[in-house]
Amino acid sequence: MSNTALLERPATATAAAIRTQPEATAPLSTAGADLPAVRSPRGFALYVGLDEIKAAEAGVSLPLLVDALRRTLAELAPGAETHATVALAPHGSGGRDLDVVRLALQEPGAIARTKAAAEEDATDEESGVTVDISRKRVLIDGESAAFTYKEFELLQYLVLREGRTIERSELVSALWQAQDDETPGERTIDVHVRRLRAKLGRYEDIVRTVRGIGYRFDRHADVVIRYGHGTPSPDRF
C-alpha cells in the first residue's frame, strides 16, 4: 500500500502540519490505557534530510529516491506496507535539512529539542557574543548581528577550529570556490576579516591576527558557542 501525504506551508518557520489523504492511516499514539503492557516493533521511520537542489546536484530527484527505496524494500520484504511523506518548509527558514524534516513530521525528540532551544533563548545573556552554529546567527549583547552569509562562514570556520591558527590560503580555499567571481587573494582576505571585526564591535578581538600567518579564535569569556541539540555540526572537530 502506498499513500502520499503533503505538509501544509506552516505559519512559522519551524513547524508544518501534516495533511494526508482520507485513506491514510492515523499514527499510533505512544501513550494510552488501551495499549498492551508488552509492545513489539511494527515498523520504522527513516527521516531523510535532502532538498531538491542537493538531490539534483547528485543527479537524482526526491520522487526517484522514494521509488528506489520502495523497490528495494519490496525486494527485501514483499509484505511490507509503505507510506511516503514530503516535508515542506518556507524558503529561508534555515536549519539542517534533517532537523527540519523531523520537526515538520512531529518527531518527539525534535519537538523536545526545539522547546529546549526556545527556553534557552529566553535566558540569553544581555552582554557578550553568542555564535549559534545550528541557526547560523550571531547575537551581540542580546541583539542579532547583521552578518552576511560569508561573514558568518568565516567566523564559524575559525570558531570550529578553536585554538588553531588558520592560514589565509586555507580560508580562501575552504570558503570560496575556484570559479567564484569574488574569490579573494591571500592578502585581500584581510579585508573580509576587517569587515567581520567591524560588526563584532567591542568584541572584535575574539578574532586574533597571527602576524605573518593568518587568524585564530581562542576561548573567550565573552563568547558563547552553541552547536545545537543532538548531533554536532559535521564541520566541528
Side-chain angles (χ1 to χ4, degrees):
M1 178 179 69
S2 174
N3 293 324
T4 301
L6 300 178
L7 295 176
E8 296 175 348
R9 185 182 181 88
T12 66
T14 58
I18 300 179
R19 182 178 73 251
T20 61
Q21 293 178 346
E23 66 272 16
T25 303
L28 292 174
S29 172
T30 57
D34 296 332
L35 290 178
V38 178
R39 304 178 187 179
S40 60
R42 294 290 299 272
F44 67 90
L46 174 65
Y47 297 97
V48 179
L50 182 70
D51 61 28
E52 293 175 333
I53 295 177
K54 293 177 182 176
E57 290 174 349
V60 295
S61 66
L62 297 186
L64 181 61
L65 287 173
V66 171
D67 183 63
L69 290 172
R70 279 177 167 161
R71 283 188 283 105
T72 299
L73 186 59
E75 294 174 0
L76 296 175
E81 298 176 333
T82 62
H83 177 92
T85 301
V86 176
L88 304 180
H91 289 294
S93 58
R96 296 172 62 231
D97 290 335
L98 187 58
D99 292 335
V100 171
V101 172
R102 294 175 66 187
L103 184 59
L105 301 182
Q106 300 292 292
E107 195 270 317
I111 295 175
R113 282 188 290 274
T114 300
K115 183 180 296 185
E119 293 174 354
E120 191 175 71
D121 283 345
T123 58
D124 274 336
E125 296 292 337
E126 291 299 323
S127 63
V129 178
T130 298
V131 182
D132 193 333
I133 302 297
S134 63
R135 298 187 183 184
K136 302 292 184 183
R137 65 174 184 171
V138 177
L139 300 178
I140 299 178
D141 294 334
E143 299 292 331
S144 182
F147 276 46
T148 65
Y149 173 80
K150 194 61 69 177
E151 288 165 350
F152 182 86
E153 290 291 300
L154 176 58
L155 179 60
Q156 174 181 259
Y157 196 88
L158 295 172
V159 165
L160 293 177
R161 292 155 183 80
E162 175 186 329
R164 175 183 151 201
T165 299
I166 309 299
E167 296 183 3
R168 292 176 174 85
S169 59
E170 179 178 340
L171 289 172
V172 173
S173 62
L175 301 179
W176 279 269
Q177 301 297 321
Q179 65 270 23
D180 287 351
D181 295 334
E182 299 180 359
T183 301
E186 292 184 21
R187 305 310 304 181
T188 54
I189 192 69
D190 297 341
V191 176
H192 292 272
V193 173
R194 281 200 297 271
R195 291 172 181 168
L196 170 63
R197 283 174 167 163
K199 292 187 177 181
L200 288 170
R202 64 193 180 101
Y203 302 107
E204 63 178 355
D205 290 341
I206 67 174
V207 177
R208 296 181 50 198
T209 299
V210 180
R211 189 178 298 276
I213 303 178
Y215 301 95
R216 68 185 291 160
F217 169 83
D218 290 317
R219 179 65 65 181
H220 197 287
D222 290 326
V223 182
V224 174
I225 310 300
R226 289 187 184 162
Y227 298 101
H229 301 274
T231 305
S233 166
D235 194 28
R236 182 183 177 187
F237 290 146

